């Protein structure tokens, strides 16, 4: 099916006399006739549900829809996008391992990898998304287990050369993990360019209305874990906590990664998305294919206006002709990139504060990719834990404003920005 149809029909098909809308299975536990039946679930010998910390029917239906949209073979929901990124990486890495990551990723994810995972003994080397082949090659180590990047970085709006990073990752026998939150599968499907695992903060465009925090992980089912068994013992050697199951053997390429992620990490860390939030997410997904073109249309209108204003030092928007990433965006995102525009004001942080204070339609929020237009100054909010050097490496100068164009009239958004610029 085409993405438009999957958004509406994917994941859940009611039977005769069953609810037309996806049911919310708001239950923590599930009843069985015999302990033998339940035992098969605990041994991973049968599919089913026994406790919603691991899996829930509502969540699985929504995960299946996202899986179909991305063209994957298995997927799971998490409590947030941060949980999705952590699970995706930690499912492959343990103490003493190494990650190669793009330096321009979202500040919270940068901190997760650089600081929190480092405390767990997992180190990282960050490379520019525009690094040379030699620089990318030099970042790998013998203990590298994954490469991580974002299709469209938040808020630098760099576009990852997915194909090139995938080739480098595969040359070293490791998967490429791509956070596809900003592009969504409507505008880019990273698996088609060689990525192996995709993550999402479903809180953003997939929800689209600011009502439910959540995340998702999707596996392409293409990475051959057993061909690199020495690198991935968690997938390729017996798991004694599940009676010696070898995930890559029992569930194959198509199911090993998500099964291990669910049965180990979700079991032990419990970052499950609530069924109620999954229900809200499904409602958002039903209109994703309609909303994304409008977000992109408004983003381009705002970016085009800002590019001509004297008080604006620089505008970043991948779909704007002349943008540094325009050609790359035309390759990976020919139908549009996203509704987020980043721009630097002359006058730095003070000018950014004055501009945002004067806005009437756009609200100052720690959010993005919503039906309502919002903005923030990343250096004093989402990226405030980073040093000036790290901010520069991430492409986030102090005077940067990130504006997320919603679904309002483009004319009204441009007029709001015009009067706010006049207030500086």
């Amino acid at each position: 099916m085409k993405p438009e149809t999957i958004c509406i029909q994917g994941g859940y098909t009611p039977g005769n006399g069953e609810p037309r809308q996806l049911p919310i299975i708001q239950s923590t536990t599930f009843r069985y006739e015999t302990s033998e039946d339940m035992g098969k679930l605990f041994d991973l010998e049968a599919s089913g549900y026994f406790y919603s910390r691991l899996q829930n029917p509502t969540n699985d239906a929504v995960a299946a829809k996202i899986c179909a949209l991305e063209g994957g073979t298995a997927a799971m929901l998490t409590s947030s996008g941060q949980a999705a990124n952590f699970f995706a990486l930690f499912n492959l890495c343990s103490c003493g391992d190494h990650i190669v990551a793009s330096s321009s990723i979202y500040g919270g994810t940068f901190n997760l990898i650089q600081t929190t995972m480092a405390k767990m003994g997992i180190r990282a080397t960050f490379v520019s998304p525009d690094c040379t082949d030699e620089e990318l090659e030099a970042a790998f180590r013998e203990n590298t287990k994954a490469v991580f990047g974002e299709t469209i970085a938040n808020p630098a709006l760099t576009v990852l050369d997915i194909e090139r990073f995938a080739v480098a990752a595969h040359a070293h026998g490791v998967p490429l993990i791509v956070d596809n939150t900003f592009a969504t599968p409507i505008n880019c499907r990273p698996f088609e360019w060689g990525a192996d695992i995709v993550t999402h903060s479903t809180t953003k465009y997939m929800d689209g209305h600011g009502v439910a925090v959540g995340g998702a992980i999707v596996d392409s089912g293409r990475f051959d874990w057993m061909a690199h068994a020495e690198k991935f013992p968690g997938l390729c050697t017996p798991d004694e906590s599940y009676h010696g199951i070898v995930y890559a053997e029992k569930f194959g390429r198509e199911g090993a990664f998500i099964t291990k992620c669910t049965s180990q990490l979700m079991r032990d860390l419990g970052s499950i998305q609530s069924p109620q939030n999954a229900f809200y997410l499904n409602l958002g997904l039903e209109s994703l294919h309609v909303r994304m073109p409008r977000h992109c249309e408004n983003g381009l209108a705002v970016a085009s206006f800002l590019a001509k204003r004297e008080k604006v030092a620089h505008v970043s928007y991948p779909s704007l002709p002349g943008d540094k990433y325009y050609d790359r965006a035309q390759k990976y995102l020919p139908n549009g990139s996203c509704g987020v525009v980043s721009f630097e004001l002359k006058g730095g942080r003070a000018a950014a504060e004055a501009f945002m204070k004067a806005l009437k339609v756009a609200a100052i929020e720690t959010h993005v990719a919503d039906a309502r237009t919002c903005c923030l100054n990343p250096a004093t909010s989402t990226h405030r834990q980073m040093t000036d050097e790290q901010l520069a490496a991430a492409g986030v100068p102090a005077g940067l404003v990130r504006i997320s164009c919603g679904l309002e009239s483009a004319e009204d958004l441009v007029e709001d920005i015009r009067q706010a610029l006049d207030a500086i």
Side-chain angles (χ1 to χ4, degrees):
M1 293 187 290
K2 300 293 185 184
E4 298 89 337
T5 306
I6 295 172
C7 283
I8 302 297
Q9 301 282 356
Y12 171 69
T13 303
N16 189 42
E18 292 183 346
R20 184 64 192 89
Q21 181 53 274
L22 174 68
I24 305 170
I25 309 300
Q26 194 66 48
S27 180
T28 61
T29 190
F30 301 83
R31 178 183 179 275
Y32 286 88
E33 294 289 343
T34 70
S35 59
E36 288 82 5
D37 289 337
M38 183 172 285
K40 291 177 183 178
L41 301 176
F42 277 89
D43 288 344
L44 302 181
E45 294 294 338
S47 329
Y49 304 93
F50 54 87
Y51 197 60
S52 279
R53 188 178 78 236
L54 279 88
Q55 288 179 287
N56 176 280
T58 305
N59 291 23
D60 280 1
V62 180
K65 176 178 285 190
I66 295 172
C67 186
L69 284 169
E70 286 287 6
T73 59
M76 62 188 292
L77 299 187
T78 62
S79 58
S80 68
Q82 279 290 75
N85 285 332
F86 174 63
F87 275 26
L89 290 165
F90 197 56
N91 204 35
L92 301 175
C93 301
S94 59
C95 183
D97 288 337
H98 176 256
I99 297 164
V100 174
S102 169
S103 61
S104 66
I105 56 176
Y106 168 61
T109 310
F110 180 94
N111 195 64
L112 166 68
I113 297 172
Q114 172 74 3
T115 304
T116 303
M117 295 187 74
K119 294 176 182 177
M120 305 167 73
I122 301 168
R123 303 294 176 179
T125 298
F126 291 90
V127 296
S128 167
D130 306 319
C131 66
T132 64
D133 289 341
E134 293 75 18
E135 289 169 334
L136 181 55
E137 177 67 22
F140 286 88
R141 301 177 186 173
E142 285 295 320
N143 59 340
T144 300
K145 296 299 177 68
V147 179
F148 181 87
E150 295 173 349
T151 309
I152 306 172
N154 173 18
L157 300 182
T158 59
V159 177
L160 187 71
D161 192 342
I162 301 172
E163 196 167 32
R164 185 166 74 95
F165 273 71
V167 168
H170 296 160
H172 289 270
V174 301
L176 172 63
I177 302 173
V178 175
D179 184 328
N180 198 34
T181 296
F182 269 19
T184 81
I186 300 302
N187 288 340
C188 181
R189 303 213 307 176
F191 294 156
E192 296 176 355
W193 299 101
D196 301 288
I197 296 156
V198 159
T199 61
H200 285 278
S201 170
T202 62
T203 317
K204 310 305 190 296
Y205 286 122
M206 284 188 168
D207 168 2
H209 301 85
V211 297
V213 174
I217 308 172
V218 186
D219 183 13
S220 68
R222 296 175 187 168
F223 193 86
D224 190 346
W225 305 108
M226 291 303 292
H228 309 283
E230 74 286 352
K231 282 185 172 288
F232 305 105
L235 284 156
C236 302
T237 60
D239 178 2
E240 297 307 326
S241 70
Y242 274 109
H243 308 291
I245 281 176
V246 178
Y247 294 99
E249 289 180 352
K250 185 172 181 63
F251 301 101
R253 298 184 192 184
E254 294 80 7
F257 184 87
I258 294 297
T259 302
K260 176 180 180 292
C261 203
T262 300
S263 59
Q264 279 189 358
L265 301 189
M266 194 62 82
R267 174 196 65 189
D268 296 340
L269 300 175
S271 298
I272 192 73
Q273 186 169 147
S274 76
Q276 186 74 50
N277 278 14
F279 176 83
Y280 293 142
L281 170 57
N282 190 59
L283 292 180
L285 287 167
E286 288 182 351
S287 64
L288 181 64
H289 62 294
V290 178
R291 292 183 287 107
M292 285 307 295
R294 180 58 178 265
H295 282 296
C296 293
E297 177 186 324
N298 284 357
L300 183 57
V302 165
S304 300
F305 173 77
L306 287 167
K308 301 172 185 176
R309 308 308 295 180
E310 179 63 28
K311 294 180 181 180
V312 177
H314 176 73
V315 178
S316 294
Y317 187 68
S319 298
L320 182 69
D323 186 87
K324 179 179 179 180
Y325 296 97
Y326 180 78
D327 290 340
R328 196 177 293 173
Q330 292 305 295
K331 174 181 177 178
Y332 294 112
L333 304 150
N335 297 321
S337 51
C338 62
V340 181
V341 181
S342 291
F343 59 99
E344 184 180 0
L345 289 167
K346 296 176 182 178
R349 204 173 300 226
E353 290 176 356
F355 169 81
M356 293 194 297
K357 185 177 180 180
L359 289 168
K360 294 180 170 61
V361 176
I364 301 173
E365 299 177 17
T366 309
H367 191 42
V368 71
D370 197 341
R372 302 165 187 81
T373 296
C374 55
C375 69
L376 55 72
N377 173 228
T380 56
S381 54
T382 57
H383 287 60
R384 69 180 300 128
Q385 75 275 18
M386 298 172 70
T387 65
D388 288 346
E389 291 77 16
Q390 290 170 336
L391 284 170
V396 186
L400 188 76
V401 174
R402 181 190 71 184
I403 186 163
S404 174
C405 301
L407 302 178
E408 304 93 343
S409 159
E411 292 181 5
D412 288 341
L413 296 182
V414 168
E415 181 55 36
D416 191 33
I417 292 169
R418 185 198 309 276
Q419 63 85 26
L421 288 172
D422 290 343
I424 300 175

